[in-house]
Amino acid sequence: MTTIAFIGLGHMGLPMARNLLKAGHELKVFDLVQSAMQELAAEGAQAASSAEAAAKGAQVVISMLPASRHVEGLYLGDKGLLAALEPGTLVLECSTIAPEVARKVHQAAQARGIELLDAPVSGGTAGAAAGTLTFMIGGTATTLEKARPLFGLMGKNILHAGAAGAGQVAKVCNNQVLAVQMIATAEAMAMGVANGLDPSVLAEIMRQSSGGNWTLEKYNPWPGVMEAAPASKGYSGGFMAELMAKDLGLAQEAAQHSGSSTPMGALALQIYRLLLKQGKGKKDFSVVQQLFIE
Ligand code: NAD
């Protein structure tokens, strides 16, 4: 049994933490939102009054926060968590953040003798609940092997992307593809339905044809096509459009850094910004469907 501090119990963090708890680990949890902590406390976790209190005495710290600034705020600086952790603590930073911020946090951890991995995930809230996430990991292979048993309780694919920050680079590449696929699927669904097709029939034909992709397999954006998808629940739950816009912004920064040409990613970012301007940033990212049917 390992004592684990889990910081950030949102759409993803809560089900991930629950899988560690179910496997018999001791969990000390912290989130700015009380209700999330209470939910896990009712299942046996210990709710803490701060991130530092959660991490006190923990062998492993896992964080799942929205964006770069939250991760910098948590770990860095004189009052940051890295300054309070015991050398030898293992930190698994699972949020999707800028690769250069991940590298900064890696360096600060290394300076204190703390082993850290950037380990962003793919697989959505369903993957988090089922324990079938894909982890894309940046850091040393030795640290990855130490963390592998814990990753294995939350995910099924544990992939080493490379050195510090590499997990984040892989993640923004992946999410750029996902956003483009979601937009392409949503516009095709709207076009097919507008031309008289039944949405479920069209979805199944494309799923089994060369247009097939992850959104058609698991996450159809048309309401009612997939009962469990956010589209069928008023676009609630899932992965917020504002987080997708953040990831597309990170992808554009990476492209800028390397001088890569990413016209599809750039367009996808503009489309998601439009959704944010329409006040739909808190909705699941499949809400992009509404741009094509309203
Ligand atoms: P979320 O907004 O639902 O959860 C984030 C949680 O962090 C919130 O509960 C918030 O209160 C908490 N928080 C923020 N600052 C904090 C602090 N300083 N201390 C403690 N708690 C703090 O977001 P999410 O959907 O769970 O996503 C988390 C990360 O995972 C993001 O980086 C996102 O891009 C990534 N991600 C999300 C999905 C998805 O499907 N939702 C999939 C893959 C990756």
Side-chain angles (χ1 to χ4, degrees):
M1 185 184 73
T2 306
T3 304
I4 303 167
F6 206 111
I7 321 289
L9 305 169
H11 289 105
M12 297 294 287
L14 192 133
M16 288 165 71
R18 180 175 282 136
N19 282 333
L20 297 170
L21 196 58
K22 276 200 271 185
H25 292 294
E26 184 184 353
L27 246 75
K28 294 160 81 187
V29 296
F30 177 68
D31 193 292
L32 302 175
V33 177
Q34 280 289 332
S35 56
M37 282 197 285
Q38 278 156 8
E39 198 174 326
L40 274 187
E43 297 169 27
Q46 203 180 313
S49 56
S50 67
E52 202 179 325
K56 203 170 168 46
Q59 293 128 285
V60 179
V61 174
I62 304 179
S63 50
M64 193 53 165
L65 301 177
S68 298
R69 68 178 195 293
H70 306 90
V71 173
E72 285 185 290
L74 175 67
Y75 286 108
L76 301 179
D78 292 346
K79 298 213 167 97
L81 204 51
L82 288 178
L85 294 179
E86 293 292 328
T89 310
L90 177 61
V91 177
L92 313 180
E93 209 309 288
C94 299
S95 327
T96 305
I97 60 170
E100 70 269 18
V101 173
R103 286 184 205 112
K104 216 193 313 181
V105 180
H106 267 274
Q107 275 166 10
Q110 204 178 11
R112 290 229 50 244
I114 290 160
E115 290 190 81
L116 186 139
L117 296 170
D118 54 294
V121 305
S122 171
T125 45
T132 57
L133 292 170
T134 292
F135 284 90
M136 307 168 198
I137 297 162
T140 69
T142 325
T143 307
L144 170 50
E145 289 319 311
K146 284 189 194 165
R148 191 178 285 280
L150 290 179
F151 284 135
L153 295 172
M154 300 181 283
K156 68 166 190 233
N157 302 312
I158 294 115
L159 308 174
H160 193 194
Q168 299 296 347
V169 177
K171 173 66 186 171
V172 296
C173 291
N174 179 75
N175 271 24
Q176 180 174 288
V177 174
L178 173 62
V180 170
Q181 282 181 343
M182 181 57 88
I183 296 165
T185 300
E187 70 179 22
M189 287 297 297
M191 179 174 71
V193 172
N195 281 280
L197 263 65
D198 179 288
S200 297
V201 171
L202 173 59
E204 184 56 16
I205 290 173
M206 291 197 292
R207 191 182 73 79
Q208 293 197 45
S209 306
S210 44
N213 67 67
W214 189 85
T215 73
L216 284 164
E217 287 292 338
K218 305 220 161 120
Y219 219 96
N220 196 290
W222 195 275
V225 169
M226 283 179 177
E227 211 181 306
S232 301
K233 301 173 193 161
Y235 297 101
S236 63
F239 180 45
M240 289 187 283
E242 65 183 26
L243 290 179
M244 179 54 96
K246 173 206 66 170
D247 291 358
L248 290 166
L250 293 175
Q252 288 299 293
E253 282 172 31
Q256 181 72 22
H257 181 72
S258 55
S260 305
S261 173
T262 54
M264 305 302 286
L267 180 57
L269 172 61
Q270 295 306 321
I271 289 173
Y272 273 95
R273 281 205 185 133
L274 200 59
L275 282 172
L276 266 49
K277 288 201 184 305
Q278 292 182 345
K280 292 177 179 165
K282 302 280 180 213
K283 295 283 187 186
D284 177 74
F285 80 113
S286 59
V287 75
V288 72
Q289 183 67 75
Q290 291 182 344
L291 279 184
F292 303 103
I293 50 177
E294 278 178 355

